[in-house]
Amino acid sequence: MSTKSEHESGLRWLASRGRPVWTPTPYIDELLATRNAALARSLPWLLLFTVLAFAGALGHLLLFGEAMSTPAYFVCFVVQLTSWRTIRSRQRQLAARTRPWPGAKGGRPGGWFVAASALAYGGGVALALSMLSTAPAYAAGWLTLLGVSALCSAVILTSFLRSPVLAEDEASFAVYRQLLAENLHAASPALAAVPPILDTVTGHRLPAGYGPLLFAYAGLVAAAELTAYLRGRRPLPPGHYGASLPARTEVDWSPPEAR
């Protein structure tokens, strides 16, 4: 059962995709509620992954030395994994009350998302290998972090893509497909590429001339992933998404202001 804030968030989500309704269908309302990570639901996962990340960051520091990007990477791992587990937990609750969908599967990563991932990991590995002769400890540490990031992303993507389709009709299936496209960004390639920029602040462990290369690398990955996100944010097709608004009803669908 969705809360009031989740219900209102779902209304804004539908309106932003061209389907403003007075109230969503009960199933779509619950489906949209899976995208919200309320603190009470995410706190156990947050605590678990924070403890694991702290131990991992400490071990990485002892093995490869200090770098500003290291804690940033582990914070990213905590955010990614907590978001993934919270969403999947809510999806499993809804799946237990959903009949198997007889139609097509939900989808797969788009070309721009695949390109962003290839740039993030392929480009990162290439840059790290080029540093091995001049900064071996830093390069080995970065390769290790890229490996952990790739593992986290693979687990997240596999979990979302292999999960049962949550839909009871064509309208809810259209919503599910767009939610899946959003959920895949929990495996964000940009989170693998951006942290090394922090090492340009001090530069004491970076070989000369790598600062501009790291900025260009991170910028390309972030631009490719942003393109993937924008291309996946499409208007929903015609269908029954809920009770229609009365004619000429004016509604402010903007997010509420922070208090």
Side-chain angles (χ1 to χ4, degrees):
M1 189 72 179
S2 66
T3 65
K4 181 179 179 181
S5 63
E6 290 169 346
H7 175 76
E8 292 174 348
S9 177
L11 289 175
R12 290 192 294 272
W13 190 93
L14 287 170
S16 70
R17 285 153 182 79
R19 297 297 162 191
V21 296
W22 186 255
T23 185
T25 64
Y27 190 87
I28 289 178
D29 192 35
E30 289 194 58
L31 181 57
L32 289 172
T34 64
R35 56 191 282 272
N36 290 285
L39 180 61
R41 296 188 178 98
S42 61
L43 186 58
W45 297 113
L46 178 63
L47 293 175
L48 171 63
F49 291 126
T50 297
V51 171
L52 294 175
F54 180 80
L58 183 59
H60 190 275
L61 173 65
L62 294 174
L63 286 172
F64 303 107
E66 181 182 358
M68 292 189 69
S69 59
T70 299
Y73 266 113
F74 282 95
V75 168
C76 289
F77 298 154
V78 171
V79 172
Q80 289 177 286
L81 294 173
T82 299
S83 174
W84 159 60
R85 288 307 308 162
T86 304
I87 293 171
R88 287 294 294 124
S89 294
R90 299 209 64 182
Q91 286 181 340
R92 284 194 177 95
Q93 294 172 9
L94 182 57
R97 308 191 301 274
T98 303
R99 294 182 178 180
W101 176 247
K105 291 291 290 180
R108 57 186 180 182
W112 280 101
F113 188 90
V114 173
S117 299
L119 283 169
Y121 296 107
V125 168
L127 284 170
L129 289 176
S130 70
M131 298 179 187
L132 276 175
S133 60
T134 53
Y138 180 87
W142 189 16
L143 286 170
T144 301
L145 291 170
L146 285 171
V148 175
S149 179
L151 178 61
C152 290
S153 295
V155 169
I156 292 170
L157 290 174
T158 301
S159 175
F160 279 126
L161 292 172
R162 297 188 65 181
S163 62
V165 174
L166 300 176
E168 63 177 10
D169 53 25
E170 291 297 332
S172 57
F173 179 63
V175 171
Y176 174 80
R177 281 177 61 92
Q178 289 221 12
L179 288 179
L180 175 61
E182 289 184 4
N183 291 338
L184 294 184
H185 287 276
S188 171
L191 295 184
V194 170
I197 290 178
L198 296 175
D199 295 325
T200 65
V201 175
T202 58
H204 69 280
R205 300 194 64 199
L206 283 178
Y210 273 88
L213 289 175
L214 290 177
F215 273 100
Y217 157 68
L220 285 173
V221 174
E225 185 175 356
L226 178 60
T227 302
Y229 178 81
L230 294 176
R231 286 177 64 87
R233 188 184 172 96
R234 299 173 179 174
L236 291 165
H240 178 61
Y241 295 92
S244 301
L245 289 167
R248 292 185 291 277
T249 300
E250 294 185 5
V251 181
D252 179 13
W253 295 112
S254 61
E257 295 182 2
R259 297 183 178 179

